[in-house]
Amino acid sequence: MPESTAQKQVITKNNICYWELHNNTSFWSKAFITDLGYNPSLIETNLNFFLNQIIHQKDRSIFRDNFYNLVRHDVPFRQNILLLNSDGNYDEYVSKTTDEMEIDLKPGAKAVYFFKTKLKTHDKVKNDYYYKETATMTSTGSWYIDFENKSCYWDQITRKVLEYPEDFIPSLRMAPKLYAEEYKTIASNVFLNCAINGTPFDLEILMVKSTNKRFWARAIGKPVFNDEKEIIGIRGVFQDIDDVKNKEINLKRTSEIVASQNSRLFNFAHIVSHNLRSHSSNLALIVQLIESFDDPKEKLDLLSNVKDVSNSLNKTIEHLNEVVTIQTNCDQHQENISIGTTLNHVCKSISQIISTNNVTITSNFEAGDTISYIPAYMDSIILNILTNAIKYKHPDRESKIHLKTSKDFKNEDRLILEISDNGIGIDLEKFGDKLFGMYKTFHYNKDAVGIGLFITKNQIESLNGEIFVESIVNEGTTFTIKF
């Protein structure tokens, strides 16, 4: 390189050791060059010279990968490196991308800083002892996919976490079986994106051990480059985070349950404050009118109104009492029950309604039929949803109801029950947020009370379950229950 060109790429105004990366050119600070004992006018300020002449060979490939990831994807890094000084000895430096020092960078430029470490690395740190201990204690395995040789490599921690023999030789073809079925597409996409575009990844993913046991892992990977800046592989680590992830999932579920309980409490308070007060106000008004009338006949007419208000008040109190009873009964004995048997029992109890309305009920419980539950609640849940489906069947077609079970693999393999019908559906845009509210009705049937779904939701959530609904007007409705 001509001396004049080299001089242009040396930053002379700052005494900080750093590189300024701008427009595919690296500008080195004079402080960085002289710190290593070199003459700024005799050194090439580019990556190849640095990789081939200055940095220690063992740090070379990792620094190169870090450098390209910083330039192409703005991925920061921090790396301990050994740099050759003009005396022929190696000095220890820390290379990092962020610092609070104020330097005047060109617009759009990036900076890499080099700090000379004062403490000498202990010999034990230089060998693999602490690395292996740390990897073992944190269940962190490392791996490498070699595109040139079409092969992959695992360390012993990886084999241990995945429960493969110590002498097991992994292959590229087996990669898909390492991920849970529902995460295979995600895993394929991130690896392809890393291999083609050089995009690093860091994600939480459900993996599968050799024993078919599923576990949560944090997978981190980044591309490996050759001297021609071509991607020749992917290097990464993964860590078993199953315990932490499951606690996070449980915490999220608990948070959702608490939010739901608060919502029910608010609903309950609303009913108490609004509905009961309405009844009491009506009674007070009627009593006031009775006292104001002199005609006995008019007084007797008003007494019939007292009876109506009294009945309404009694029903409201019964409903509120039922809600309170659900909350206090959630600790009662649960037993293993069959959903199929419960369905048969419910169908027998409403056989006349099913026959009169010409309803066809089918089921498939191959994914799971037995569950520990309060039998009365399961009876009530299925009965409420079935009778609703029949009540709101479509007038122009025969009513069909289908029940099936499945598993939620993403959420502790929870059992799911779906009940679908081809009825008139519910306008969820209009009523979605009120669907499970007390005294909320969404059709104009005279016998609609709006208490069944409220009770059903309370029963399910009192046992830490969840209920969702999907519906299309004039096509049908599906209730999904996660137990």
Side-chain angles (χ1 to χ4, degrees):
M1 178 182 293
E3 184 174 329
S4 58
T5 304
Q7 290 286 10
K8 288 179 181 177
Q9 293 177 200
V10 174
I11 304 166
T12 59
K13 297 180 180 178
N14 205 307
N15 60 356
I16 301 172
C17 297
Y18 72 101
W19 291 3
E20 179 175 333
L21 311 175
H22 185 255
N23 288 341
N24 296 320
T25 303
S26 60
F27 301 87
W28 295 11
S29 72
K30 185 176 181 180
F32 171 64
I33 301 171
T34 56
D35 201 48
L36 288 167
Y38 297 112
N39 184 333
S41 63
L42 300 177
I43 200 167
E44 294 182 29
T45 54
N46 57 59
L47 180 64
N48 286 337
F49 183 83
F50 181 78
L51 293 176
N52 296 323
Q53 304 295 328
I54 297 182
I55 192 169
H56 194 285
Q57 187 177 4
K58 76 179 183 63
D59 300 322
R60 178 184 177 193
S61 61
I62 294 177
F63 182 87
R64 181 178 57 208
D65 295 340
N66 286 334
F67 180 86
Y68 288 145
N69 278 313
L70 171 69
V71 173
R72 297 179 181 180
H73 304 289
D74 284 326
V75 178
F77 71 89
R78 183 185 189 283
Q79 181 185 351
N80 293 321
I81 54 178
L82 293 175
L83 300 182
L84 185 66
N85 61 34
S86 61
D87 296 331
N89 299 315
Y90 282 98
D91 295 328
E92 289 183 289
Y93 279 79
V94 174
S95 172
K96 58 192 292 189
T97 53
T98 56
D99 196 86
E100 295 179 354
M101 293 185 195
E102 293 185 1
I103 56 176
D104 187 18
L105 291 176
K106 294 180 176 65
K110 299 180 175 66
V112 181
Y113 299 90
F114 297 86
F115 300 99
K116 204 168 187 178
T117 57
K118 295 181 180 178
L119 296 176
K120 287 290 182 184
T121 305
H122 194 281
D123 287 340
K124 286 185 177 179
V125 180
K126 291 182 177 177
N127 63 35
D128 291 338
Y129 176 76
Y130 286 124
Y131 155 71
K132 291 178 180 177
E133 286 294 298
T134 302
T136 301
M137 287 189 286
T138 60
S139 296
T140 303
S142 59
W143 48 267
Y144 174 58
I145 299 175
D146 185 341
F147 295 156
E148 293 179 319
N149 297 310
K150 295 182 172 53
S151 57
C152 61
Y153 305 93
W154 292 357
D155 70 355
Q156 289 303 324
I157 307 299
T158 297
R159 291 180 173 86
K160 183 179 180 182
V161 172
L162 293 174
E163 298 185 1
Y164 281 87
E166 290 187 359
D167 58 350
F168 178 79
I169 305 298
S171 67
L172 293 177
R173 286 180 299 177
M174 66 173 293
K177 69 185 293 186
L178 298 176
Y179 303 96
E181 190 65 36
E182 61 271 30
Y183 279 90
K184 286 182 179 177
T185 302
I186 296 173
S188 174
N189 289 341
V190 297
F191 272 90
L192 279 176
N193 202 22
C194 187
I196 297 173
N197 302 316
T199 305
F201 59 85
D202 182 348
L203 74 162
E204 293 178 350
I205 194 166
L206 204 52
M207 297 186 69
V208 181
K209 301 186 178 187
S210 65
T211 54
N212 288 326
K213 182 183 178 184
R214 298 150 63 94
F215 71 103
W216 283 99
R218 181 184 178 189
I220 302 173
K222 63 180 183 178
V224 176
F225 300 90
N226 61 14
D227 291 342
E228 285 70 45
K229 304 179 184 178
E230 298 168 334
I231 298 172
I232 59 171
I234 301 177
R235 179 189 292 126
V237 297
F238 77 95
Q239 182 182 23
D240 184 343
I241 59 168
D242 202 53
D243 287 342
V244 174
K245 187 66 180 178
N246 283 324
K247 286 176 182 174
E248 179 186 323
I249 291 172
N250 289 333
L251 182 63
K252 183 179 178 183
R253 284 184 58 190
T254 302
S255 175
E256 291 171 350
I257 290 170
V258 169
S260 176
Q261 288 173 337
N262 283 339
S263 175
R264 292 204 303 274
L265 183 62
F266 178 80
N267 207 332
F268 189 85
H270 173 78
I271 300 302
V272 171
S273 65
H274 181 268
N275 293 33
L276 292 185
R277 189 172 61 184
S278 296
H279 295 314
S280 64
S281 298
N282 282 339
L283 280 174
L285 179 61
I286 293 171
V287 170
Q288 186 179 357
L289 289 172
I290 290 175
E291 290 176 346
S292 66
F293 290 155
D294 295 328
D295 186 347
K297 186 174 180 306
E298 289 180 321
K299 289 179 181 288
L300 287 175
D301 289 341
L302 286 172
L303 284 177
S304 64
N305 292 335
V306 172
K307 183 180 178 182
D308 292 338
V309 174
S310 174
N311 289 337
S312 297
L313 177 60
N314 192 44
K315 284 183 181 177
T316 300
I317 292 174
E318 285 178 1
H319 292 156
L320 293 175
N321 186 55
E322 192 166 355
V323 173
V324 173
T325 303
I326 290 171
Q327 302 307 316
T328 55
N329 282 351
C330 62
D331 293 329
Q332 69 178 269
H333 178 66
Q334 299 181 25
E335 57 185 81
N336 287 330
I337 58 173
S338 162
I339 297 176
T341 302
T342 304
L343 173 63
N344 291 335
H345 176 259
V346 170
C347 287
K348 284 181 182 177
S349 69
I350 58 172
S351 59
Q352 191 61 37
I353 299 173
I354 293 173
S355 176
T356 303
N357 290 278
N358 196 24
V359 180
T360 301
I361 298 177
T362 56
S363 63
N364 180 351
F365 302 132
E366 289 181 358
D369 178 53
T370 304
I371 184 174
S372 176
Y373 219 66
I374 299 174
Y377 281 11
M378 186 63 78
D379 274 356
S380 172
I381 292 164
I382 293 179
L383 176 65
N384 265 325
I385 297 179
L386 282 189
T387 52
N388 265 355
I390 297 171
K391 190 183 299 180
Y392 301 116
K393 69 173 190 171
H394 199 285
D396 299 331
R397 55 181 175 247
E398 290 186 359
S399 176
K400 294 182 180 178
I401 303 172
H402 183 66
L403 297 88
K404 70 173 184 179
T405 54
S406 60
K407 289 287 185 69
D408 180 5
F409 292 118
K410 292 183 182 179
N411 198 349
E412 299 178 326
D413 296 351
R414 292 167 67 188
L415 187 65
I416 296 174
L417 172 64
E418 288 184 6
I419 306 177
S420 304
D421 66 61
N422 63 342
I424 59 177
I426 303 168
D427 187 346
L428 293 180
E429 285 191 10
K430 193 173 182 179
F431 302 114
D433 58 338
K434 302 174 182 175
L435 188 62
F436 295 104
M438 199 170 185
Y439 300 130
K440 304 297 182 184
T441 58
F442 315 102
H443 305 95
Y444 300 101
N445 294 27
K446 292 181 180 178
D447 57 344
V449 178
I451 192 68
L453 288 180
F454 180 79
I455 295 296
T456 297
K457 184 177 175 66
N458 273 266
Q459 289 171 328
I460 293 170
E461 292 185 348
S462 69
L463 297 176
N464 298 330
E466 299 169 275
I467 182 169
F468 310 95
V469 62
E470 294 178 4
S471 187
I472 299 176
V473 175
N474 288 325
E475 292 189 17
T477 301
T478 297
F479 284 94
T480 302
I481 301 162
K482 286 187 181 181
F483 293 107

